[in-house]
């Protein structure tokens, strides 16, 4: 999260004198008043103590009443008690907003500026920039579809005022005819009945709705996989359990 903190317009209030303070924050304090009256006829004195209520909690840093976060922007310089608290709380950092953070016992305003990861200044992969073309947003980027680990893809990144192209090389994935030679070896009851069925299913998976999960599976399996059968009697490569589980969950929910 990139915060640009605004300077406070005036100095914080002078520390309040508190000779018996035992910490940075005082809790709410009960207060009383004492009144002494004298009976004129007898000369007897009577003392009365009255409870006048409870004072608001204060912070030992400023001596001011704490401004609680109620979902709205608290005043800059107001007293706070939870160091690092952000008020109002924000989830979407890709939206410009002004909030406050609790620093040293006082609310400090800041402006959130969406970063390049939010799309500001990014390029269009269908009409990508040329290597060395000027750019303005450091760190902005775009790419072709890189979800398939078994295929080349290209990325462009804005660095030092220029676009740079990066070619992402594929993992060593076996094609369907080759990988099916290994798939059918254990003859799993939940797997393909023969190589022809395996190849047909493999080709469909390469372009289907679960192609990203299938490419992860092939990339993990590598060039010399050893297939066994899982508990559901489906083909599996040891060490690639997560990739196979994700593909089976996608293709056979």
């Amino acid at each position: 999260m990139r915060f640009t903190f605004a300077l406070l317009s005036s100095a914080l209030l002078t520390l309040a004198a508190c000779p018996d303070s035992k910490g940075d924050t005082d809790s709410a304090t009960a207060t009383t008043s004492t009144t002494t009256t004298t009976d004129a006829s007898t000369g007897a004195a009577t003392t009365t103590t009255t409870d006048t209520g409870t004072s608001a909690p204060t912070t030992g840093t400023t001596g001011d009443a704490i401004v609680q976060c109620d979902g709205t922007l608290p005043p800059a310089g107001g007293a706070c008690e939870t160091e690092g608290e952000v008020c109002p709380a924000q989830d979407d950092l890709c939206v410009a907003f002004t909030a406050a953070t609790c620093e040293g016992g006082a609310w400090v305003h800041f402006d959130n500026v969406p970063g390049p990861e939010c799309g500001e200044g990014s390029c269009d992969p269908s009409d990508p920039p040329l290597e060395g073309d000027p750019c303005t947003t450091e760190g902005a980027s775009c790419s072709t579809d890189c979800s398939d680990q078994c295929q080349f893809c290209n990325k462009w990144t804005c660095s030092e005022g220029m676009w740079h192209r990066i070619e992402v090389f594929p993992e060593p994935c076996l094609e369907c005819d080759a990988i099916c030679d290994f798939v059918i070896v254990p003859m799993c009851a939940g797997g393909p009945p023969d190589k022809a069925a395996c190849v047909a299913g493999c080709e469909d998976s390469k372009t289907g709705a679960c192609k990203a999960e299938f490419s992860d599976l092939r990339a993990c399996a590598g060039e010399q996989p050893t297939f066994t059968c899982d508990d559901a009697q489906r083909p599996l490569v040891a060490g690639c359990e997560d990739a196979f589980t994700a593909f089976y969950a996608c293709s056979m929910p």
Side-chain angles (χ1 to χ4, degrees):
M1 176 168 60
R2 305 188 320 160
F3 289 147
T4 305
F5 290 99
L7 295 177
L8 290 175
S9 60
S10 61
L12 295 177
L13 297 177
T14 305
L15 292 176
C18 188
D20 60 347
S21 173
K22 295 183 175 58
D24 288 342
T25 303
D26 297 334
S27 59
T29 305
T31 57
T32 60
S33 64
T34 302
T35 304
T36 301
T37 58
T38 302
D39 189 324
S41 62
T42 64
T46 302
T47 300
T48 303
T49 301
T50 304
D51 185 354
T52 59
T54 302
S55 64
T58 62
T59 171
T61 304
T62 65
D64 295 335
I66 292 172
V67 180
Q68 301 289 351
C69 180
D70 60 0
T72 59
L73 184 67
C80 59
E81 60 181 340
T82 305
E83 188 73 12
E85 181 182 8
V86 176
C87 183
Q90 302 287 343
D91 295 324
D92 189 356
L93 300 182
C94 287
V95 174
F97 60 82
T98 299
T101 184
C102 183
E103 291 191 350
W107 288 113
V108 179
H109 287 183
F110 66 86
D111 296 319
N112 178 69
V113 180
E117 66 275 8
C118 297
E120 181 182 350
S122 61
C123 58
D124 181 1
S126 64
D127 184 22
L130 297 176
E131 180 76 19
D133 277 358
C135 57
T136 57
T137 306
E138 186 74 12
S141 64
C142 67
S143 67
T144 57
D145 184 7
C146 292
S147 63
D148 189 342
Q149 294 190 63
C150 300
Q151 300 291 330
F152 281 97
C153 75
N154 290 288
K155 292 184 177 181
W156 291 265
T157 302
C158 179
S159 176
E160 299 179 347
M162 295 187 299
W163 285 109
H164 299 275
R165 185 177 72 89
I166 303 171
E167 187 174 26
V168 182
F169 288 86
E171 295 294 328
C173 302
L174 292 176
E175 292 300 324
C176 290
D177 186 74
I179 197 171
C180 283
D181 286 335
F182 297 96
V183 172
I184 63 172
V185 170
M187 294 300 294
C188 300
D194 52 45
K195 182 176 179 179
C198 176
V199 171
C202 175
E203 293 293 349
D204 287 343
S205 296
K206 285 171 62 177
T207 58
C210 303
K211 63 180 182 180
E213 291 80 2
F214 191 58
S215 71
D216 292 344
L217 178 157
R218 292 165 61 211
C220 183
E223 297 179 289
Q224 291 292 325
T226 298
F227 279 84
T228 57
C229 304
D230 67 8
D231 293 340
Q233 288 298 299
R234 299 172 301 191
L236 174 71
V237 174
C240 298
E241 289 84 358
D242 289 346
F244 276 80
T245 298
F247 171 68
Y248 290 137
C250 177
S251 60
M252 295 182 290

